[in-house]
């Protein structure tokens, strides 16, 4: 061996369960969830530092619920800006704009929080990064992948814990030993709209691209975005504002630290598009030009930059695309902007991205623990790609309504939306469940079984568990049901037992306890633990009985494995909160029901109390 050869250090090789490429919202959501679940995970990102400003707007109500399930919502509430009100301005008779209507910013009846929280993307990522750091996980920055190879051996791919992915990383911040070969069991690409991972896997995007061939379609969909602390006399500038005037459309989003974000429609767009790429070219405009147009749109009101500082700005075109597939061989996955892109004005990008990996993380954990068949991973694509397709169809309608000229008496504007249609359809009745995220519904699959939907008619199988206050039988304190459903990778078995103050209904509950104790029950076959310490399940019991008629020890021992797991559908001791849960869920107060809530908070199944064989069959489909 030559002296030169002997002086070359061997390339470092390492092993990990899951390698995540990209530390945006989807990546940090997944990394935090997997680390919390005890999975070996690494996350790399090409950026030397995190985002300091700009990008995504903030979190919608469903995303707030998800963050709450990880114990992270409070940080967001403290750091962000809550938006509760929307205001609408339209052209007035004096040539300027006038306020024509207002409404709640969130029109989703079952939302736990009827507001969104606005915080720049880096601030939201920081909430996850802090949680990860507390658990010993850091993003490896200034690191890029240069090659990705998946095993083509069927035996290896079928073995859930085999290292089938080989990824070469280049650590850009190292002078020596900068190359590393990582052997991973699973790879996630959450590396943005121009995803290296997606391209390396050979996955195509389909839909409305913003390439040169679609230049004509881009000319009416260019928007400028600018974040500033404003000096303005517009009275509603701390509300979400939809402003339409002869000079164009403007959307105002209040933000943290006294900032506001302006979305400014560009009516003269030909000079803003690079004809070679079909994309908006930021160098062809400036923040000053964007602000001058905003000033024209809000006349007779004025707006300027209060401190002369522009926090962030950009220019973009609207394009709606979705990946043709979300995974390769159930081993390499893509998430977030890597697999779907759409307009940012409905506030869905970051929220959809985080929803992707919230859906995926628990499934990866189950496979890595050998708790479930690998076919469970296929539900990631079937659920989230279907959702993305629906999102893009929604986004096309939303973008058209938001960007289009209002309908007027003039013939040329007869295709536009009336003011009433804009408020009625957009803000927010038709789209309210979608924009808030609480109306997302997954179709029937091995983990979504709706054959008994009628026993809980208002608790839709495939949708997230609706929030509701119940009271604990032990101390009569009210507690939010969603707070009993942490993202701890366990299925929650909610037994709505009817009125246990009635002997016959108590007997029915005792029978259920006996069935759950049998060797063939799902709790015994798949629970992986003794009563009260199951790794796969948590069991909670809800009775329609009133507090004066029962106490904790009225319930069979199985259901009071912990005193806080037995609850009543009654008001608290002060008569302030709680009650009405059975009615809200469409469950008969005496017949009761069993509700299976997945680890991600979505209802997997509802069933009558006497349908234990069907529940056993449900879990037998995918648990091992």
């Amino acid at each position: 061996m030559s002296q030169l050869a002997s002086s070359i250090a061997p390339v470092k090789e390492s092993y990990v369960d899951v390698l995540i490429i990209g530390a945006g919202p989807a990546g940090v959501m997944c990394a935090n969830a997997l680390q919390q679940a005890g999975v070996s995970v690494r996350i790399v990102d090409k950026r030397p530092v995190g985002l300091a400003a700009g990008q995504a707007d903030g979190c919608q109500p469903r995303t707030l619920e998800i963050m709450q399930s990880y114990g992270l919502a409070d940080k967001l509430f403290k750091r962000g800006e809550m938006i509760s009100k929307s205001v609408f301005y339209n052209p007035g008779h004096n040539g300027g704009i006038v306020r024509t209507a207002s409404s709640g910013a969130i029109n989703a009846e079952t939302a736990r929080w009827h507001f969104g929280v606005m915080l720049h993307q880096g601030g939201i990522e920081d909430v996850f990064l802090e949680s990860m750091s507390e658990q010993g996980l850091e993003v490896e920055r200034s690191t890029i992948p240069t090659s990705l190879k998946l095993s083509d051996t069927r035996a290896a791919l079928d073995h859930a814990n085999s290292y089938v992915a080989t990824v070469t990383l280049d650590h850009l911040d190292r002078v020596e030993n900068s190359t590393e070969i990582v052997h991973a069991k699973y790879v996630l690409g959450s590396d943005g709209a121009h995803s290296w991972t997606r391209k390396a896997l050979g996955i195509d995007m389909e839909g409305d691209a913003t390439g040169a061939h679609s230049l004509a379609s881009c000319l009416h969909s260019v928007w400028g975005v600018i974040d500033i602390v404003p000096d303005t006399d517009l009275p509603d500038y701390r509300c979400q504002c939809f402003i339409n005037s002869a000079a164009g459309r403007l959307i105002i989003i209040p933000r943290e630290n006294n900032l506001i974000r302006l979305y400014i429609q560009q009516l003269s767009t030909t000079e803003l598009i690079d004809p070679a790429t079909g994309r908006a070219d930021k160098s062809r405009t400036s923040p000053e030009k964007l602000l001058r147009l905003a000033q024209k749109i809000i006349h007779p009101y004025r707006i300027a930059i209060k401190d002369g500082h522009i926090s962030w700005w950009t220019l973009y075109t609207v394009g709606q695309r979705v990946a043709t597939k979300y995974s390769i061989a159930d081993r390499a996955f893509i998430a977030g902007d890597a697999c779907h892109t759409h307009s940012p004005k409905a506030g869905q990008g970051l929220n959809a991205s985080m929803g992707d990996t919230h859906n995926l993380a628990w499934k990866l954990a189950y496979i890595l623990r050998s708790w479930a068949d690998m076919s469970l991973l296929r539900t990631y694509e079937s659920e989230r790609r279907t959702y993305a397709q629906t999102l893009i169809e929604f986004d096309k309608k939303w973008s058209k309504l938001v960007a289009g000229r209002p309908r007027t008496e003039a013939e040329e504007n007869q295709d536009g939306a009336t003011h009433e249609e804009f408020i009625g359809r957009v803000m927010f009745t038709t789209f309210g469940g979608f924009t808030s995220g609480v109306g997302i519904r997954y179709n029937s699959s091995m983990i979504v079984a709706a054959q008994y939907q009628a026993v809980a008619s208002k608790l839709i199988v495939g949708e997230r568990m609706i929030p509701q206050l119940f009271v604990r039988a032990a101390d009569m304190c009210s507690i939010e049901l969603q707070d009993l459903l942490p993202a701890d990778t366990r299925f929650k078995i909610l037994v709505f037992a009817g009125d246990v103050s009635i002997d016959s209904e108590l007997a029915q509950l005792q029978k259920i306890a006996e069935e759950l104790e049998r060797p063939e029950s799902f709790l015994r076959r798949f629970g992986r633990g003794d009563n009260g310490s199951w790794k796969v399940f948590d069991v909670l019991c809800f009775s329609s009985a009133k507090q004066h008629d029962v106490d904790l020890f009225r319930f069979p021992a199985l259901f009071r494995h912990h005193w806080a797991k037995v609850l009543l559908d009654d008001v608290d001791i002060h008569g302030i909160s709680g009650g009405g849960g059975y009615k809200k869920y469409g469950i008969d107060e005496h017949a009761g029901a069993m509700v299976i809530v997945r680890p991600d908070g979505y209802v997997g199944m509802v069933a009558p109390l006497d349908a234990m064989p069907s529940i056993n069959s449900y879990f037998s489909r995918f648990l091992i």
Side-chain angles (χ1 to χ4, degrees):
M1 182 180 294
S2 69
Q3 184 176 0
L4 177 62
S6 63
S7 66
I8 298 175
V11 174
K12 178 184 177 182
E13 297 194 39
S14 58
Y15 293 81
V16 70
D17 287 349
V18 181
L19 175 65
I20 300 174
I21 300 169
V28 295
M29 164 67 83
C30 194
N32 181 71
L34 291 175
Q35 181 76 1
Q36 190 169 293
V39 171
S40 166
V41 59
R42 288 176 63 183
I43 178 169
V44 301
D45 193 272
K46 65 181 180 182
R47 297 174 297 178
V49 295
L51 293 173
Q55 301 295 336
D57 285 324
C59 294
Q60 299 286 5
R62 175 55 190 155
T63 304
L64 298 178
E65 294 176 358
I66 292 172
M67 294 192 72
Q68 175 73 0
S69 75
Y70 290 99
L72 301 176
D74 283 347
K75 284 188 176 182
L76 198 64
F77 294 151
K78 291 176 182 177
R79 300 175 187 181
E81 181 74 12
M82 298 179 185
I83 295 185
S84 298
K85 182 181 180 181
S86 293
V87 182
F88 306 86
Y89 285 82
N90 278 281
H93 297 297
N94 61 355
I97 58 170
V98 295
R99 184 196 297 126
T100 53
S102 63
S103 72
I106 302 297
N107 186 19
E109 184 179 354
T110 67
R112 179 174 180 180
W113 292 288
H114 289 270
F115 54 80
V117 176
M118 300 299 109
L119 182 64
H120 73 90
Q121 180 175 316
I124 296 169
E125 291 170 1
D126 283 345
V127 173
F128 288 98
L129 295 174
E130 290 164 12
S131 175
M132 290 158 50
S133 182
E134 291 169 2
Q135 301 171 71
L137 178 63
E138 304 286 346
V139 175
E140 300 173 47
R141 297 199 175 277
S142 299
T143 301
I144 61 171
T146 58
S147 70
L148 166 59
K149 182 179 180 181
L150 286 179
S151 171
D152 55 5
T153 304
R154 190 73 258 169
L157 292 171
D158 288 343
H159 190 285
N161 279 284
S162 60
Y163 294 92
V164 298
T166 302
V167 182
T168 302
L169 298 179
D170 188 1
H171 298 276
L172 302 177
D173 55 349
R174 300 179 187 176
V175 176
E176 297 180 351
N177 303 320
S178 61
T179 300
E180 179 185 3
I181 296 174
V182 179
H183 302 279
K185 298 174 183 177
Y186 299 89
V187 173
L188 171 67
S190 50
D191 45 347
H194 304 292
S195 170
W196 177 92
T197 311
R198 185 187 68 236
K199 295 170 185 174
L201 293 172
I203 298 174
D204 295 325
M205 297 286 281
E206 60 185 14
D208 297 331
T210 53
H213 62 278
S214 59
L215 176 60
S217 66
C218 298
L219 297 183
H220 299 293
S221 59
V222 181
W223 290 72
V225 189
I226 184 169
D227 289 350
I228 60 170
V229 175
D231 177 5
T232 182
D233 58 354
L234 184 74
D236 299 304
Y237 78 98
R238 294 309 299 177
C239 302
Q240 178 176 245
C241 293
F242 291 83
I243 301 173
N244 172 64
S245 79
R249 287 195 185 271
L250 172 70
I251 301 172
I252 298 177
I253 307 291
R255 303 191 61 79
E256 72 281 1
N257 299 326
N258 300 314
L259 291 164
I260 65 170
R261 170 164 294 181
L262 305 178
Y263 284 101
I264 308 158
Q265 184 184 26
Q266 306 296 292
L267 295 183
S268 177
T269 59
T270 304
E271 69 276 13
L272 300 177
I273 301 294
D274 182 343
T277 65
R279 295 174 182 160
D281 184 350
K282 189 176 174 181
S283 68
R284 297 176 179 228
T285 187
S286 67
E288 292 75 22
K289 289 181 181 179
L290 297 179
L291 192 61
R292 284 197 293 271
L293 179 54
Q295 290 167 340
K296 292 179 181 178
I297 292 172
I298 71 165
H299 175 77
Y301 302 102
R302 61 175 180 81
I303 187 168
I305 303 174
K306 188 172 186 178
D307 55 7
H309 173 65
I310 296 167
S311 178
W312 180 79
W313 76 283
T314 193
L315 192 72
Y316 74 89
T317 55
V318 175
Q320 294 101 354
R321 298 193 296 163
V322 64
T324 55
K325 58 180 67 177
Y326 277 24
S327 67
I328 299 293
D330 297 327
R331 291 306 194 119
F333 302 86
I334 54 175
D337 287 353
C339 50
H340 49 74
T341 61
H342 31 81
S343 140
K345 292 185 293 300
Q348 296 302 301
L350 172 144
N351 294 270
S353 296
M354 291 164 63
D356 286 345
T357 49
H358 177 60
N359 180 287
L360 177 62
W362 72 268
K363 298 171 183 178
L364 283 171
Y366 270 55
I367 301 305
L368 287 163
R369 293 170 178 170
S370 299
W371 288 3
D373 186 85
M374 283 193 68
S375 58
L376 176 65
L377 291 174
R378 294 169 201 156
T379 64
Y380 167 63
E381 178 174 317
S382 65
E383 291 184 339
R384 295 306 295 180
R385 187 171 185 273
T386 299
Y387 162 70
Q389 290 172 314
T390 306
L391 169 61
I392 285 172
E393 288 306 308
F394 151 78
D395 189 59
K396 289 177 181 178
K397 297 174 184 177
W398 172 274
S399 296
K400 182 178 180 180
L401 284 167
V402 170
R405 296 275 190 151
R407 188 181 304 167
T408 66
E409 297 301 322
E411 292 184 4
E412 65 271 16
N413 286 332
Q414 286 302 296
D415 289 336
T418 65
H419 175 59
E420 291 74 18
E421 182 183 25
F422 185 81
I423 296 177
R425 289 183 57 196
V426 180
M427 309 304 292
F428 296 82
T429 53
T430 302
F431 296 148
F434 210 93
T435 54
S436 65
V438 304
I440 295 171
R441 182 183 303 180
Y442 297 138
N443 295 329
S444 293
S445 68
M446 66 168 61
I447 53 174
V448 178
Q451 67 265 38
Y452 295 116
Q453 179 66 79
V455 303
S457 59
K458 298 178 182 178
L459 195 57
I460 306 303
V461 175
E463 294 188 5
R464 105 298 188 208
M465 187 67 193
I466 296 174
Q468 170 64 22
L469 289 171
F470 290 87
V471 296
R472 295 186 299 224
D475 61 4
M476 290 304 120
C477 288
S478 62
I479 187 166
E480 169 55 57
L481 174 57
Q482 285 192 344
D483 290 338
L484 300 172
L485 312 176
D488 59 3
T489 73
R490 291 191 294 175
F491 279 84
K492 311 306 187 296
I493 312 302
L494 311 184
V495 181
F496 288 84
D499 187 348
V500 298
S501 69
I502 300 172
D503 289 343
S504 60
E505 295 180 28
L506 176 61
Q508 171 74 4
L509 182 60
Q510 183 61 52
K511 181 181 178 183
I512 293 170
E514 293 169 359
E515 289 181 316
L516 289 171
E517 297 272 18
R518 292 174 183 167
E520 67 271 20
S521 79
F522 68 88
L523 198 60
R524 292 296 175 213
R525 290 179 62 195
F526 307 120
R528 297 179 183 271
D530 297 326
N531 283 358
S533 59
W534 307 285
K535 295 179 181 179
V536 179
F537 303 111
D538 192 13
V539 178
L540 301 98
C541 188
F542 301 80
S543 175
S544 60
K546 303 309 174 186
Q547 58 185 286
H548 301 300
D549 299 324
V550 296
D551 61 31
L552 176 65
F553 290 95
R554 177 76 173 176
F555 294 79
L558 177 73
F559 299 109
R560 47 183 168 82
H561 55 88
H562 188 283
W563 62 267
K565 304 294 183 179
V566 177
L567 300 103
L568 304 177
D569 187 16
D570 197 3
V571 295
D572 65 18
I573 197 68
H574 304 291
I576 297 174
S577 59
Y582 272 67
K583 182 178 180 181
K584 185 175 185 178
Y585 295 156
I587 298 174
D588 186 273
E589 292 187 356
H590 299 287
M594 297 271 281
V595 178
I596 311 302
V597 182
R598 302 177 352 178
D600 57 1
Y602 285 79
V603 178
M605 182 182 189
V606 298
L609 294 178
D610 60 358
M612 195 64 69
S614 295
I615 299 173
N616 291 335
S617 177
Y618 167 81
F619 284 112
S620 296
R621 297 177 188 177
F622 56 92
L623 294 183
I624 55 179

